[in-house]
Amino acid sequence: MPPLLPTGIVSAVDAMAIVLGQAIQLARTRLAANASPILRLLIQRDHEITESELLRQESDILRGARANMPTHKRPDYQPAQRLAILQLMRLRGWNIKTVARHFVIHENTVRAWLKAVESQRRPGLFSGVIVWNRLDDGVRWAAGEIRRLCPEPELGSRTIARHLLRAGIQISRSTVQRVLREANPEKPPRKPRPALEEPVGAESHGLLKPKRPGSKLLSSLISTDPLLDCSTLSQRSCVWHCDITQIRVLWFTFFIAAVLDGFSRKLLAMKVYASTPCSHNLAAMVRSATVKHGKPKFLITDNGSQFRKLFGKAMRQQKIRHVRTRVRAPFLNGKVERLFRTMKLWSRLILFGFSARSIQRQLDTFRDWYNSARPHSALGIRTPEEVFTQRAIPQPVAYRARDGPDIQIEIPRRCYRHDPHLPVIGITVRRAAQLNIVPKVS
């Protein structure tokens, strides 16, 4: 180990080396412009020798760094690079051992490349494999554009894929994740979360997964509107969910109650209270929801004090069977609990107001957006309003790069009722017939 020198001596030596280097460079420049051709040739030879020595040092550094890496972590050579290595091998007259030493690869790898060239059985080693199933560039751009327009953390890859499916573009969540990762490779992928275990216990009467309404709901809906289709009504839920939660605006506390349809996840009613609501308030809210949407057969609530004797009596008067969940089992009323989570994520971004009336106006806006503009994960790619009314959506189509430029995608982001935190993504897909473009024939 060389002895440590004072900082002043090291700085002086470095300054002298810089001066000598600049002097040598100045002398070479003047000699290169000399009238004598011999001197100019000598300077050119000296310059080429210096450049070759610097390139050799650079090559040794890169080769040494690759050789120090574990074999399984070394980057692969691209098809064009493999072909260039074999061409360089022929031009220089190297043998297999020399090529393997210069490019830090195994000798059997070089033999495999030579065998592939002679037999022509693996052309993908040197020309690359044609990806016939590659996603169309317009679809890849659409996934990144939605991510750019909607940077909110709750709008992830699953929601992006859902919006594209609603627009008629076939894509999966894993494909969206791969496209976003390619666009931003510096961001590490999220660690996979363990799957949630199914709740323990039997689902009595099929209340958690309703498939058809009760006769009372069907008859009430037909009586209110005789033009309704019975086959459509048979898919609506006969189970409703009801619960309350609280939010804080500065030092004020407000209580929010909601009624949710169990089959379509449609938010039927949502009301704010300045103080803790009583059984009479909640029963009145359920009664107003039944006037508009008909009576359900079951109403599921938790074991709060508001949902006990008086509330049960009011439900019996309306001929609705009140079902209370088990104690410490929130998953039995999880549909409305998940609704409150979405609502609180939205409420953190805005200032509700300091009066129940102003908060109620914003909750009405949120309810309409939740029902008509937000695709629900439990409903596939449909919104609660589309499931409730059995509205059809476009059938997704897979667009691949081999099909040619036959689509044009427009993705504007609008604000629902002037609320920037309630996004409405309108995706417009124009096909080749609408663009007057003749697609390529593969």
Side-chain angles (χ1 to χ4, degrees):
M1 181 176 179
L4 297 178
L5 298 176
T7 306
I9 297 177
V10 175
S11 301
V13 172
D14 185 56
M16 293 176 61
I18 293 175
V19 171
L20 290 176
Q22 292 180 351
I24 294 173
Q25 187 66 26
L26 180 61
R28 285 180 175 177
T29 304
R30 290 186 175 180
L31 289 175
N34 196 283
S36 175
I38 298 177
L39 289 178
R40 291 200 303 269
L41 289 175
L42 290 175
I43 293 301
Q44 291 177 4
R45 187 193 65 176
D46 184 66
H47 176 72
E48 296 297 335
I49 292 174
T50 304
E51 288 294 327
S52 63
E53 182 63 23
L54 294 177
L55 290 175
R56 187 190 62 80
Q57 293 180 7
E58 180 181 351
S59 177
D60 292 342
I61 293 172
L62 295 177
R63 191 183 298 113
R66 185 182 178 92
N68 293 332
M69 296 176 61
T71 305
H72 63 281
K73 291 186 178 181
R74 294 175 186 172
D76 294 332
Y77 286 106
Q78 299 298 321
Q81 295 174 339
R82 297 168 188 160
L83 185 60
I85 290 174
L86 295 184
Q87 291 176 349
L88 190 62
M89 175 182 177
R90 298 298 187 190
L91 293 175
R92 287 187 172 271
W94 288 344
N95 55 18
I96 294 178
K97 186 175 181 179
T98 305
V99 174
R101 185 179 70 254
H102 275 79
F103 295 98
V104 195
I105 52 179
H106 199 273
E107 297 178 9
N108 291 338
T109 303
V110 183
R111 294 190 180 95
W113 293 354
L114 293 173
K115 187 177 180 180
V117 170
E118 294 173 357
S119 62
Q120 298 182 358
R121 292 183 179 180
R122 299 174 63 187
L125 282 176
F126 307 102
S127 60
V129 179
I130 300 176
V131 183
W132 294 99
N133 202 33
R134 176 180 170 82
L135 198 65
D136 187 83
D137 292 338
V139 180
R140 301 170 69 88
W141 170 85
E145 184 69 8
I146 296 177
R147 175 77 281 175
R148 185 187 68 83
L149 293 175
C150 303
E152 293 85 358
E154 59 270 14
L155 200 146
S157 57
R158 183 184 288 108
T159 307
I160 294 175
R162 197 178 304 134
H163 281 289
L164 292 174
L165 288 171
R166 285 176 55 81
I169 300 174
Q170 181 66 44
I171 195 172
S172 63
R173 181 195 180 191
S174 59
T175 303
V176 174
Q177 289 177 335
R178 184 177 68 253
V179 170
L180 297 180
R181 196 177 300 119
E182 291 174 357
N184 188 12
E186 298 180 357
K187 185 177 180 180
R190 183 181 297 178
K191 295 182 180 180
R193 299 179 181 178
L196 297 178
E197 298 181 358
E198 293 292 333
V200 181
E203 301 175 2
S204 60
H205 302 91
L207 297 183
L208 298 187
K209 297 181 180 180
K211 296 181 180 179
R212 58 182 63 88
S215 58
K216 293 183 177 64
L217 176 60
L218 185 61
S219 60
S220 62
L221 289 175
I222 294 177
S223 62
T224 56
D225 191 353
L227 299 178
L228 290 178
D229 187 6
C230 297
S231 61
T232 300
L233 294 175
S234 63
Q235 300 298 325
R236 294 184 184 174
S237 174
C238 62
V239 182
W240 288 4
H241 297 260
C242 182
D243 200 1
I244 60 174
T245 188
Q246 63 179 9
I247 59 172
R248 294 184 62 87
V249 181
L250 298 180
W251 53 85
F252 299 100
T253 302
F254 295 92
F255 296 85
I256 298 177
V259 178
L260 189 75
D261 180 39
F263 177 75
S264 64
R265 310 295 181 99
K266 182 178 180 179
L267 184 54
L268 304 177
M270 196 174 216
K271 194 170 183 180
V272 62
Y273 300 92
S275 59
T276 306
C278 60
S279 301
H280 175 73
N281 300 132
L282 298 177
M285 184 184 66
V286 174
R287 190 180 305 111
S288 63
T290 58
V291 171
K292 185 177 181 180
H293 303 285
K295 291 183 180 181
K297 187 175 181 180
F298 299 95
L299 179 66
I300 300 178
T301 65
D302 57 12
N303 288 271
S305 59
Q306 299 87 355
F307 301 109
R308 294 186 181 175
K309 185 175 181 180
L310 295 179
F311 185 82
K313 182 179 179 180
M315 294 299 102
R316 286 193 298 271
Q317 291 177 356
Q318 298 185 47
K319 298 182 181 180
I320 299 175
R321 185 174 177 180
H322 180 213
V323 180
R324 291 193 298 175
T325 62
R326 297 197 304 266
V327 180
R328 298 183 182 276
F331 59 86
L332 294 176
N333 206 20
K335 296 179 181 178
V336 70
E337 296 288 354
R338 183 61 180 85
L339 161 70
F340 285 146
R341 176 187 171 186
T342 303
M343 186 268 298
K344 289 182 178 180
L345 287 174
W346 164 71
S347 65
R348 292 173 187 171
L349 303 174
I350 67 173
L351 183 62
F352 264 95
F354 301 100
S355 65
R357 181 176 299 178
S358 62
I359 294 177
Q360 185 63 49
R361 286 197 300 267
Q362 298 184 21
L363 286 179
D364 292 341
T365 302
F366 172 80
R367 183 192 61 191
D368 296 339
W369 171 81
Y370 183 87
N371 289 334
S372 61
R374 178 184 180 270
H376 201 286
S377 59
L379 305 177
I381 59 175
R382 295 188 291 178
T383 63
E385 187 66 33
E386 291 171 346
V387 175
F388 191 80
T389 59
Q390 294 295 302
R391 191 183 309 164
I393 58 176
Q395 186 68 23
V397 178
Y399 293 98
R400 296 293 180 256
R402 65 175 183 269
D403 300 329
D406 59 342
I407 61 171
Q408 179 179 344
I409 304 175
E410 297 179 1
I411 309 178
R413 169 175 172 158
R414 300 187 299 272
C415 299
Y416 192 82
R417 294 185 183 177
H418 307 289
D419 190 341
H421 304 293
L422 296 178
V424 178
I425 303 175
I427 304 177
T428 304
V429 181
R430 293 189 176 91
R431 291 171 172 80
Q434 301 171 346
L435 295 173
N436 296 324
I437 296 177
V438 179
K440 295 180 181 179
V441 179
S442 58

